[in-house]
């Protein structure tokens, strides 16, 4: 526990789409400012925050590979897109007075620090927000898997996965209005039911290391702060679910 926070350290996973706002592509600066303000409120609780951001608002590796670009190359292009998003988010956070560091899994020293686990932890201890860019640095891995991996490496207490939807449903709520939301669900049920929330590598990594994941809507104001203060929001994925759908 740290100040008003229930956690010492959290890993916030944001998809690239969270920066898109009403645009069809790229970064909407008002949306980036909104997310940054949400992170500021969360940081004021005293929690240490690391962020992994995706790149889908700029480039979708998997889709591009379907369309003919070789998969590994497409994935590297996607990783580069995450670096663009990381720099945009860093800028938005620093506009609001937070100290930040971007660390990239692909070395590009003119642009960002290289990923060094112990250095990342040191930054976090000093109250800096650390943004991990370029995924895991490897093709065939998603940024969700990067989030799970980095969370484990830095000893985060939880992965907070911000999405457009406020949790995990029995079916896609945007297509099935009758779908029910889970308040808790086990890792194994997510895998068995094939719920499209995080890829199976990321879920399995969290399951094997008993790292809880909370899936929540990034669109609702104060959600990150409220989660960090211990309020029940979205869906928690853990070893043994005690509650089911709500
Ligand atoms: P302390 O060691 O805690 O003082 O951390 P620090 O990050 O303030 O120290 P450092 O001197 O390593 O970094 C100063 C600034 O340079 C920070 O904004 C870093 O993000 C940046 N920086 C450090 N290493 C690199 C690098 O390899 N590439 C780039 N582009 N920036 C770097």
């Amino acid at each position: 526990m740290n100040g008003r926070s229930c956690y010492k350290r959290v890993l916030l996973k944001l998809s690239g789409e969270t920066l898109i706002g009403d645009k069809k592509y790229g970064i909407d600066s008002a949306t980036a400012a909104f997310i940054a303000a949400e992170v500021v409120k969360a940081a004021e609780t005293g929690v240490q925050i690391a962020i992994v951001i995706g790149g889908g608002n700029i480039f979708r590796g998997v889709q591009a590979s379907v369309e003919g670009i070789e998969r590994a190359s497409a994935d590297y292009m996607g990783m580069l897109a995450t670096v663009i998003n990381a720099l945009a988010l860093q800028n938005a956070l620093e506009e609001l007075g937070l100290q930040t560091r971007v660390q990239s899994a692909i070395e590009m020293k003119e642009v960002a620090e290289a990923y060094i686990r112990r250095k990342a932890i040191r930054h976090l201890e000093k109250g800096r927000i650390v943004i991990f860019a370029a995924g895991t640095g490897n093709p065939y891995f998603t940024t969700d898997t990067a989030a799970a991996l980095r969370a484990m490496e830095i000893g985060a207490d939880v992965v907070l996965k911000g999405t457009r939807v406020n949790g995990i449903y029995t079916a896609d709520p945007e297509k099935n209005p009758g779908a029910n939301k889970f308040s808790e669900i086990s890792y194994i049920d997510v895998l068995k039911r094939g719920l499209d929330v995080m890829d199976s590598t990321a879920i399995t990594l969290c399951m094997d290391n008993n790292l809880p994941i909370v899936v929540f809507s990034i669109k609702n104001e104060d959600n990150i702060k409220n989660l960090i203060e211990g309020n029940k929001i979205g869906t928690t994925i853990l070893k043994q679910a005690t509650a089911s759908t709500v």
Side-chain angles (χ1 to χ4, degrees):
M1 267 256 225
N2 238 2
R4 287 182 285 126
S5 166
C6 286
Y7 304 105
K8 177 169 183 264
R9 187 174 293 158
V10 300
L11 187 301
L12 176 64
K13 166 71 207 308
L14 300 172
S15 66
E17 278 88 358
T18 54
L19 295 180
I20 217 167
D22 291 331
K23 291 186 167 182
K24 286 207 167 71
Y25 165 87
I27 298 162
D28 174 51
S29 50
T31 306
F34 169 81
I35 303 239
E38 291 297 292
V39 174
V40 169
K41 284 183 264 178
E44 281 167 358
T45 66
V47 75
Q48 297 175 18
I49 305 173
I51 302 176
V52 168
I53 184 141
N57 54 324
I58 297 171
F59 189 82
R60 289 216 144 275
V62 175
Q63 196 180 322
S65 77
V66 171
E67 288 164 9
I69 296 182
E70 195 233 338
R71 172 68 193 265
S73 296
D75 281 351
Y76 280 117
M77 292 163 80
M79 285 181 240
L80 296 179
T82 74
V83 180
I84 295 174
N85 283 338
L87 296 178
L89 189 57
Q90 174 176 49
N91 185 72
L93 290 168
E94 294 198 339
E95 287 273 316
L96 299 180
L98 285 184
Q99 286 208 37
T100 68
R101 296 289 184 269
V102 174
Q103 291 199 342
S104 172
I106 295 174
E107 205 174 307
M108 47 178 95
K109 66 179 178 357
E110 288 78 4
V111 176
E113 287 178 32
Y115 172 65
I116 299 171
R117 187 184 74 88
R118 291 174 63 107
K119 201 162 171 171
I121 291 171
R122 196 78 192 102
H123 289 321
L124 290 166
E125 286 168 350
K126 289 184 175 176
R128 298 165 182 154
I129 309 288
V130 179
I131 306 167
F132 295 120
T136 66
N138 299 290
Y140 297 96
F141 289 96
T142 64
T143 49
D144 279 343
T145 300
L149 176 66
R150 294 291 183 247
M152 244 100 67
E153 287 186 274
I154 62 168
D157 304 308
V158 64
V159 173
L160 303 177
K161 180 174 160 84
T163 69
R164 287 179 304 153
V165 182
N166 65 344
I168 305 175
Y169 285 74
T170 46
D172 183 346
E174 287 177 353
K175 292 182 194 143
N176 302 276
N180 289 316
K181 192 181 110 188
F182 293 99
S183 58
E184 287 184 357
I185 185 167
S186 65
Y187 305 105
I188 207 79
D189 272 346
V190 172
L191 294 172
K192 270 200 216 150
R193 289 169 180 256
L195 297 170
D196 191 17
V197 36
M198 268 176 142
D199 66 286
S200 57
T201 312
I203 298 281
T204 309
L205 206 50
C206 291
M207 178 168 75
D208 290 349
N209 294 280
N210 216 356
L211 178 70
I213 306 162
V214 182
V215 180
F216 69 100
S217 166
I218 195 73
K219 288 182 170 174
N220 297 21
E221 219 169 305
D222 291 342
N223 259 4
I224 312 177
K225 174 183 85 78
N226 289 337
L227 263 172
I228 284 169
E229 287 179 346
N231 297 293
K232 215 139 177 36
I233 291 167
T235 301
T236 305
I237 312 175
L238 67 186
K239 202 167 215 159
Q240 203 106 49
T242 50
S244 61
T245 56
V246 288

